[in-house]
Amino acid sequence: MNRISLNLINTRKVQLVPVIFVIIFIIGCKKNVSDSLDKKVEHKNIVLTTNQNKKDTVISVEVPNIEGRYDLVEGYGKGPGSIHDYTIYKGILFINRISNNEFGFVKVIKRHQLTPNAMHGVLSFYNNQFYRKEINYSEKSIYHALSWSIEKNDDMLYTIEYTSNMTTYTIWKKSNPEADVYISLRKTLQKEKEGYTKFYKNIYNNSDITGKDGFSIYKTGKKYIVNDSAFLEKWKAYTKK
């Protein structure tokens, strides 16, 4: 092999070295990019898997069975001034279960020297508390007012009814459904029962009104809860064993 051929071979070797380095560099870069992408994909999959594995915690809460007839033990109303305070000295409350978490009620109470005051409606147990179902007749829809607080302890029951400037507190004791009713309450009670029957059959079961799904809370404003603690102390005294 002559000198020219050797020089040519050496020249080719010199030219091939940079090319080999470039190829190795490119392969290395591709590997690093590939590893980097694999790590990103793997990390992303872990995050997604974690998110997919997250489940909402569902706490099963038993609906209190408040069904029955209750007679008044103690009741009074409290407001911001003494002019609003009053005593309830007679009362009767009927509650019947109409579904797993709903109860219909009829209530009659009497204050001194005043005609009996009556009320009827439906209470719905939702999110571990009772709401009073109300009907918006103009919109033909039902809303749920968080205006009652109810607690049951054996055969005792308390109800607190809130408004923005007045709160009514009542403590009840379960009684015989067939027991006599105070004469002064009978007429009003019968009329209110008829009103509840009409409400339940003709309105509450009217699919045009109740057919709309969805649970909306109707806020009536700030509750007057100033006297709650004093009432709850009374409640503890009645239910203390």
Side-chain angles (χ1 to χ4, degrees):
M1 189 176 293
N2 58 35
R3 184 180 296 272
I4 295 173
S5 298
L6 287 172
N7 288 338
L8 190 59
I9 292 171
N10 289 334
T11 302
R12 287 177 179 175
K13 284 182 179 179
V14 171
Q15 291 175 343
L16 285 172
V17 170
V19 173
I20 292 170
F21 277 120
V22 170
I23 293 171
I24 292 171
F25 177 76
I26 291 172
I27 292 172
C29 288
K30 284 184 176 181
K31 187 176 188 304
N32 289 336
V33 171
S34 177
D35 290 344
S36 178
L37 287 174
D38 287 343
K39 287 180 181 179
K40 286 183 180 179
V41 171
E42 183 183 2
H43 178 68
K44 187 176 181 182
N45 286 340
I46 289 172
V47 173
L48 287 175
T49 301
T50 303
N51 288 339
Q52 287 173 351
N53 285 339
K54 284 184 179 179
K55 294 181 180 179
D56 294 332
T57 302
V58 178
I59 301 174
S60 179
V61 178
E62 185 178 353
V63 179
N65 185 7
I66 58 175
E67 188 173 30
R69 167 188 163 166
Y70 298 85
D71 291 334
L72 182 73
V73 175
E74 182 176 353
Y76 57 92
K78 282 285 186 180
S82 59
I83 191 171
H84 296 293
D85 296 349
Y86 60 85
T87 300
I88 303 168
Y89 73 100
K90 287 181 182 179
I92 187 168
L93 173 65
F94 284 94
I95 302 176
N96 69 298
R97 194 164 201 159
I98 55 179
S99 72
N100 181 52
N101 68 323
E102 292 181 323
F103 299 84
F105 74 91
V106 173
K107 184 188 75 169
V108 180
I109 58 174
K110 183 168 173 53
R111 295 162 55 184
H112 188 59
Q113 295 181 342
L114 294 176
T115 56
N117 182 21
M119 179 187 297
H120 68 261
V122 173
L123 298 169
S124 177
F125 190 76
Y126 176 80
N127 199 20
N128 205 26
Q129 53 195 336
F130 281 98
Y131 291 78
R132 184 179 174 190
K133 279 194 166 186
E134 306 282 1
I135 292 179
N136 185 324
Y137 292 94
S138 61
E139 295 183 2
K140 292 186 176 181
S141 64
I142 284 182
Y143 62 84
H144 299 72
L146 187 57
S147 56
W148 281 45
S149 177
I150 300 175
E151 185 171 316
K152 188 174 184 293
N153 187 316
D154 293 334
D155 62 346
M156 303 289 289
L157 181 82
Y158 83 58
T159 63
I160 306 176
E161 299 168 50
Y162 296 103
T163 62
S164 59
N165 64 350
M166 191 74 191
T167 308
T168 302
Y169 301 95
T170 45
I171 295 176
W172 309 84
K173 185 176 177 63
K174 203 166 188 177
S175 60
N176 185 348
E178 304 301 324
D180 290 337
V181 178
Y182 286 113
I183 295 176
S184 57
L185 301 180
R186 289 178 187 172
K187 186 176 180 179
T188 305
L189 176 63
Q190 182 59 35
K191 185 177 180 180
E192 200 65 19
K193 281 184 175 181
E194 293 171 359
Y196 169 77
T197 301
K198 182 179 179 180
F199 160 80
Y200 185 71
K201 287 184 177 179
N202 300 335
I203 299 175
Y204 184 73
N205 281 338
N206 184 344
S207 60
D208 290 339
I209 293 176
T210 62
K212 297 183 179 180
D213 295 330
F215 194 97
S216 58
I217 299 172
Y218 180 83
K219 296 182 179 179
T220 57
K222 187 177 179 181
K223 298 175 182 176
Y224 188 73
I225 60 174
V226 175
N227 300 286
D228 278 14
S229 58
F231 172 76
L232 293 176
E233 287 300 317
K234 286 178 176 286
W235 170 250
K236 287 180 183 177
Y238 277 111
T239 56
K240 185 170 59 177
K241 294 181 179 179

